[in-house]
């Protein structure tokens, strides 16, 4: 499959391989989301978020179902011990796969009230889990089990699995969804996908300064995404942002300049860096999982 690239700034040429190609690795999901890479066997785990399954792809075994039902698991990541940590939109919790394979709820409440429905997460270098909590698992029948919203808003939380301390770090967004730190973790980027079902709502990525590794301040709009919304996104070693959108993976420099687009045949939802050199992008989009080799590396494990 020959990929289509739109280049708006020459800096993108240094990021792309001279001859790269977009490959479809898997299809058949209802709604692909939340890819996470396992370097141990060069495999990818991702969520069929609306199909209520967790899927697995490897170059040797192809596609298999890892977990069904998955309680509407959405975003996935790995902690510093390599364990899979995930947002469970159905259980309204952050969950973790233990070394023995059992799944454990790490946190499902803040101040005694149930979380909305955690959507996406990132593990910081201090092993704290930062996650978004929009209400999609409550409001959207194909993303959770419904129920009542108990939290007064849709926040971004910082959770420390070592102490179980949890508190909101971002409270001024409408529907926070994807998130990522800059390479030195001095900045936190968070996407807002409110335009998905709120007419006139935001469809942008905000950036915040991280303070004392525990809080954020001075949030501002980093980029506005069109067409569609920025669901999940990732950052490379140079601080460039690779974000999902309706028609493509859009690439932004750390200064906010849009460098260009990698067009994807389906609406992309999320992505992650992988491969032995961490220079391969794995993209969840529509029913499928895609990959493309780049000339840059991701910052995450
Ligand atoms: Mg998401």
């Amino acid at each position: 499959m020959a990929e289509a690239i739109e280049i708006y700034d020459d800096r993108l040429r240094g990021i792309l391989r001279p001859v790269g190609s977009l490959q479809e690795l898997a299809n058949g999901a209802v709604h692909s989301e939340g890819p996470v890479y396992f370097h141990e066997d060069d495999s990818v785990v991702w969520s069929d978020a609306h199909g209520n399954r967790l899927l697995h792809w490897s170059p040797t075994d192809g596609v298999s179902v890892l977990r069904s039902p998955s309680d509407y698991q959405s975003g996935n990541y790995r902690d510093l011990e390599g364990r899979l940590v995930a947002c469970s939109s159905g259980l309204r919790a952050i969950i973790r796969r233990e070394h023995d394979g059992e799944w454990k709820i790490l946190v499902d409440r803040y101040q005694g009230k149930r979380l909305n429905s955690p959507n996406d997460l990132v593990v910081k270098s201090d092993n704290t889990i930062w996650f978004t909590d929009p209400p999609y698992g409550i409001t959207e029948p194909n993303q959770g089990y419904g129920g009542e919203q108990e939290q007064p808003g849709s926040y971004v939380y910082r959770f420390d699995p070592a102490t179980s301390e949890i508190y909101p770090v971002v409270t001024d967004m409408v529907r926070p969804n994807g998130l990522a730190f800059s390479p030195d973790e001095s900045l936190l980027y968070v996407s807002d996908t409110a335009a998905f079902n709120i007419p006139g709502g935001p469809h942008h990525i905000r950036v915040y300064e991280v303070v004392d590794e525990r809080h954020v301040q001075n949030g501002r709009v980093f980029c506005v995404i069109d067409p569609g919304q920025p669901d999940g996104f990732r950052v490379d070693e140079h601080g460039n942002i690779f974000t999902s959108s309706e028609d493509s993976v859009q690439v932004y420099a750390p200064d906010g300049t849009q460098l260009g687009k990698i067009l994807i045949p389906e609406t992309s939802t999320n992505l992650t860096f992988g491969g032995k050199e961490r220079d391969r992008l794995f993209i969840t989009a529509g029913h499928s999982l895609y990959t493309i080799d780049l000339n840059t590396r991701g910052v995450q494990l």
Side-chain angles (χ1 to χ4, degrees):
M1 186 185 302
E3 81 282 16
I5 306 284
E6 292 182 7
I7 297 177
Y8 309 144
D9 185 298
D10 272 346
R11 281 175 282 179
L12 187 61
R13 296 183 196 280
I15 290 171
L16 299 171
R17 291 276 178 93
V19 183
S21 66
L22 187 72
Q23 256 187 288
E24 185 192 88
L25 298 177
N27 57 37
V30 180
H31 183 79
S32 291
E33 244 279 23
V36 62
Y37 180 74
F38 286 77
H39 56 83
E40 294 89 340
D41 60 354
D42 197 25
S43 68
V44 178
V45 169
W46 79 104
S47 298
D48 182 357
H50 299 182
N52 203 3
R53 303 183 299 171
L54 191 66
L55 302 176
H56 177 269
W57 171 88
S58 82
T60 48
D61 301 330
V63 181
S64 58
V65 177
L66 203 58
R67 197 176 180 225
S68 178
S70 61
D71 292 317
Y72 295 97
Q73 200 159 321
S74 180
N76 297 289
Y77 214 87
R78 300 182 74 186
D79 69 8
L80 299 191
E81 289 185 31
R83 290 172 294 192
L84 183 53
V85 286
C87 291
S88 177
S89 197
L91 298 178
R92 301 168 67 171
I94 300 296
I95 58 176
R96 184 175 68 201
R97 187 175 63 180
E98 303 297 305
H99 292 301
D100 63 7
E102 289 296 308
W103 289 88
K104 176 184 177 183
I105 291 178
L106 297 183
V107 62
D108 62 358
R109 280 163 205 275
Y110 169 61
Q111 291 189 329
K113 299 189 173 94
R114 295 186 74 186
L115 297 170
N116 296 333
S117 57
N119 187 283
D120 210 346
L121 75 172
V122 62
V123 175
K124 200 169 175 295
S125 60
D126 61 4
N127 216 30
T128 55
I129 298 170
W130 299 50
F131 66 95
T132 59
D133 190 40
Y136 295 132
I138 300 172
T139 61
E140 308 303 311
N142 57 359
Q143 294 187 44
Y145 300 124
E148 295 296 317
Q149 181 170 337
E150 299 180 20
Q151 297 297 336
S154 296
Y155 303 148
V156 180
Y157 292 92
R158 176 189 183 273
F159 171 69
D160 187 346
T163 63
S164 294
E165 178 188 38
I166 178 173
Y167 56 86
V169 288
V170 174
T171 58
D172 62 351
M173 295 182 70
V174 187
R175 294 287 182 268
N177 196 319
L179 72 175
F181 288 102
S182 61
D184 65 0
E185 298 186 337
S186 66
L187 301 172
L188 175 69
Y189 296 92
V190 187
S191 69
D192 197 321
T193 54
F196 163 65
N197 58 4
I198 300 175
H203 44 102
H204 59 214
I205 295 176
R206 292 174 66 82
V207 60
Y208 297 83
E209 298 164 9
V210 178
V211 184
D212 298 332
E213 305 202 11
R214 296 178 54 88
H215 298 281
V216 302
Q217 66 181 14
N218 296 332
R220 62 179 173 81
V221 174
F222 173 74
C223 64
V224 176
I225 298 300
D226 272 309
Q229 294 94 39
D231 193 337
F233 61 94
R234 290 285 186 254
V235 177
D236 76 2
E237 60 189 342
H238 306 296
N240 298 304
I241 310 289
F242 292 72
T243 179
S244 57
S245 73
E246 187 174 303
D247 66 346
S248 62
V249 169
Q250 301 189 12
V251 187
Y252 289 81
D255 64 9
T257 307
Q258 188 178 8
L259 302 182
K261 291 179 174 182
I262 302 167
L263 294 169
I264 309 291
E266 301 173 79
T267 296
S268 57
T269 57
N270 219 323
L271 42 99
T272 193
F273 281 92
K276 289 191 170 40
E277 303 298 325
R278 295 205 317 275
D279 59 355
R280 176 168 287 178
L281 207 55
F282 292 95
I283 303 152
T284 49
H287 305 300
S288 310
L289 176 70
Y290 294 89
T291 188
I292 185 171
D293 289 332
L294 299 175
N295 195 25
T296 187
R297 291 151 48 101
V299 290
Q300 90 269 28
L301 295 172

